[in-house]
Amino acid sequence: MPIQTLAKTIQDFILKHIHTVAQMEALLFLHAHPRERWAASEMAKRLYATEHEIVAALTELHRDGFLRESEGLYQFEPSPERAAIVAEFAEAYRHQLIPITNLIHGKLRRINAFSDAFKLRKDR
């Protein structure tokens, strides 16, 4: 399925809030377990990611208002508006996994290509 099949709200949500697959997986995991509090180390084991990746993902999701953090434990606790878009995103992910992951990976490639343009290179 091409990226165009994704709803504009989902595309905008990904472009604004989802920077890595680990971040997406952390958000979807916490959304699926809204009453539970999780340490980054435990989530990393569950999601087969490094703790560093999950800490970075959780930090950004907390900063963006999707999670509550207390004593190193994270819980899904967004505003009603944010909860609605995450529910819509979770539903889209169930049916459009490939377009969603392609959009995330494409975003990462564009960011890396842009940053590479500013790297100083030594002339020989």
Side-chain angles (χ1 to χ4, degrees), residues 77-117:
E77 194 174 282
S79 68
E81 295 81 20
R82 289 200 188 279
I85 188 64
V86 173
E88 183 180 347
F89 176 64
E91 182 62 24
Y93 184 73
R94 281 191 268 287
H95 303 286
Q96 297 177 297
L97 174 122
I98 292 172
I100 286 173
T101 55
N102 284 344
L103 182 58
I104 294 168
H105 288 298
K107 178 180 170 181
L108 292 173
R109 283 191 296 274
R110 286 189 300 276
I111 290 169
N112 289 336
F114 181 76
S115 68
D116 286 350

Side-chain angles (χ1 to χ4, degrees), residues 1-4 6 10-28 53 57 60-61 89-90 92-93 96-113:
M1 284 185 200
I3 289 174
Q4 292 80 1
L6 291 173
I10 298 301
Q11 289 182 44
D12 292 346
F13 173 75
I14 293 168
L15 294 172
K16 185 173 182 179
H17 296 291
I18 304 297
H19 308 296
T20 65
V21 171
Q23 188 178 18
M24 174 191 70
E25 290 178 349
L27 180 61
L28 292 173
E53 288 175 304
E60 288 199 31
L61 292 167
F89 176 64
Y93 184 73
Q96 297 177 297
L97 174 122
I98 292 172
I100 286 173
T101 55
N102 284 344
L103 182 58
I104 294 168
H105 288 298
K107 178 180 170 181
L108 292 173
R109 283 191 296 274
R110 286 189 300 276
I111 290 169
N112 289 336

Side-chain angles (χ1 to χ4, degrees), residues 19-92:
H19 308 296
T20 65
V21 171
Q23 188 178 18
M24 174 191 70
E25 290 178 349
L27 180 61
L28 292 173
F29 179 81
L30 290 168
H31 174 260
H33 303 91
R35 298 190 197 296
E36 298 176 33
R37 295 171 43 184
W38 293 85
S41 60
E42 288 302 311
M43 285 189 63
K45 290 175 192 172
R46 286 278 193 119
L47 299 175
Y48 304 102
T50 67
E51 189 171 342
H52 176 76
E53 288 175 304
I54 296 301
V55 167
L58 294 172
T59 299
E60 288 199 31
L61 292 167
H62 177 259
R63 185 201 66 219
D64 286 352
F66 294 99
L67 310 179
R68 178 171 55 108
E69 184 275 330
S70 177
E71 299 176 9
L73 299 175
Y74 293 86
Q75 184 174 9
F76 185 70
E77 194 174 282
S79 68
E81 295 81 20
R82 289 200 188 279
I85 188 64
V86 173
E88 183 180 347
F89 176 64
E91 182 62 24

